[in-house]
Amino acid sequence: MRKLLLTAMGILLGFSTIISAQGFQGKAVYESKTVMKMDFSGRNIPEDRKKMIMERMKKAGEKTFVLSFNQIESLYKEEQKLEQPGESRGGMRFGMMGSGGEDYYKSIKDGTYAVKKDLFGKIFLVKDSLPKLEWKMSGETKMIGKYTAFKATATKTVKRPNMSALFNRNENNKGKEFTEKKIEIVAWYSMDIPVNQGPADYCGLPGLILEVSDDVTSILCSQIVLNPKDKIEIKAPSKGKEVTQEEFDTISRNKMKEMRESGAFGRGRRGGGGSGHR
């Protein structure tokens, strides 16, 4: 383990002069898949309707992002796809719980982030300190494309929407709209690309994170372009009501509970937005 850490430090120190001199930058494309579970027990829903809901949830959980990065900052942005005819009709858009349309800016230099979030049509600008994970290094390696990747793990506590409770107004589900638990994060980073960056809010390893997964989401890098001819411009989002992550999480949870109690989820109203990253 000590040997691995020393090697990582040596590589980063060796590349630091080159990176600074060349204005090192790049773009990485990531495919993200989130599995959203739904419990239909106790609800009188036709099988074809259940199947349609699950298919829409599956599609909503499959996204493509582009990470533009240099040695001190990055921008993680979803590639917007055109909706097929009829996709947004006849029911609520399941992407409302996810990260659709967000621009996630990270400043490694300042240890901060800024992210634009759409919560049921209202734009928020969430600014806060980058989450700090206690990464545990491993000597385990594998190839991701042409890059040698090293494994690292960490744990964090998350609070997520409970889809079944939100869609089911049964009194037994009251107060269970959100679940909190400790999860394991598994990341694979490559010291061949010596930047302290990664997709979404992940960073803090001695190389670009090429793959990362938790209990519901897996993110895998599918393409990398280093030092392209055209200079990459990285800008932090600036529009929206500015709030901290804790403030946004509270607003989001209160809105979800309000909609559940009013029956908006069950009636299939449309909405967009996302919950916090924590």
Side-chain angles (χ1 to χ4, degrees):
M1 186 66 65
R2 180 179 175 82
K3 184 178 180 181
L4 177 61
L5 290 173
L6 290 174
T7 301
M9 291 176 62
I11 291 176
L12 286 176
L13 288 172
F15 274 99
S16 60
T17 303
I18 298 174
I19 290 174
S20 177
Q22 294 181 349
F24 184 83
Q25 58 180 204
K27 283 191 175 185
V29 179
Y30 291 87
E31 307 299 331
S32 175
K33 292 185 179 182
T34 298
V35 178
M36 292 177 280
K37 297 180 180 179
M38 182 75 115
D39 182 5
F40 294 104
S41 60
R43 301 200 67 191
N44 186 22
I45 301 177
E47 288 303 318
D48 60 339
R49 176 67 175 170
K50 291 179 184 178
K51 184 178 179 181
M52 183 191 72
I53 291 173
M54 295 307 297
E55 286 177 351
R56 288 193 178 183
M57 290 177 69
K58 179 177 182 295
K59 189 167 185 179
E62 297 176 348
K63 301 176 183 294
T64 300
F65 293 86
V66 176
L67 178 72
S68 302
F69 61 87
N70 56 37
Q71 60 268 39
I72 61 172
E73 60 182 349
S74 66
L75 182 66
Y76 189 63
K77 188 178 180 70
E78 182 185 350
E79 282 196 339
Q80 296 297 316
K81 299 176 182 178
L82 292 176
E83 286 185 341
Q84 297 299 316
E87 276 191 344
S88 61
R89 299 175 183 174
M92 181 172 48
R93 288 186 350 217
F94 292 104
M96 69 183 180
M97 303 292 186
S99 53
E102 297 178 2
D103 300 334
Y104 198 106
Y105 171 85
K106 296 195 294 287
S107 172
I108 301 300
K109 180 180 178 181
D110 299 331
T112 60
Y113 68 90
V115 55
K116 182 181 74 176
K117 287 180 175 287
D118 180 344
L119 183 64
F120 299 102
K122 186 172 182 179
I123 304 300
F124 290 86
L125 181 62
V126 183
K127 288 187 173 182
D128 218 316
S129 299
L130 281 168
K132 293 183 179 179
L133 295 177
E134 297 295 328
W135 291 108
K136 295 180 180 179
M137 305 295 197
S138 166
E140 189 176 344
T141 65
K142 70 176 182 178
M143 297 300 295
I144 298 180
K146 64 179 181 179
Y147 299 99
T148 300
F150 293 84
K151 183 179 180 181
T153 59
T155 59
K156 70 175 180 179
T157 300
V158 296
K159 192 169 187 177
R160 297 197 181 104
N162 180 348
M163 297 295 287
S164 299
L166 287 170
F167 276 82
N168 191 337
R169 287 199 296 164
N170 187 300
E171 283 299 313
N172 293 330
N173 287 323
K174 194 171 184 180
K176 300 178 182 178
E177 294 88 355
F178 299 88
T179 58
E180 183 175 320
K181 63 178 179 178
K182 185 173 288 187
I183 62 172
E184 181 182 50
I185 309 298
V186 178
W188 294 86
Y189 64 96
S190 178
M191 293 186 287
D192 297 335
I193 309 171
V195 292
N196 187 347
Q197 297 284 5
D201 57 354
Y202 294 109
C203 58
L205 288 167
L208 181 66
I209 297 174
L210 301 182
E211 181 179 344
V212 63
S213 60
D214 57 23
D215 59 326
V216 296
T217 300
S218 61
I219 305 173
L220 176 63
C221 182
S222 59
Q223 182 183 353
I224 297 176
V225 179
L226 298 177
N227 292 320
K229 291 182 180 179
D230 296 329
K231 185 178 179 181
I232 297 173
E233 197 170 1
I234 299 175
K235 288 185 177 181
S238 57
K239 295 182 179 180
K241 180 181 178 181
E242 189 170 323
V243 293
T244 65
Q245 184 69 60
E246 183 176 359
E247 289 171 337
F248 179 79
D249 288 347
T250 299
I251 294 169
S252 178
R253 290 163 189 159
N254 288 340
K255 184 63 177 178
M256 294 290 185
K257 289 180 180 179
E258 176 189 318
M259 291 188 70
R260 175 194 179 275
E261 290 169 1
S262 69
F265 288 113
R267 289 197 299 270
R269 291 181 183 173
R270 296 171 61 184
S275 61
H277 280 269
R278 293 183 182 177

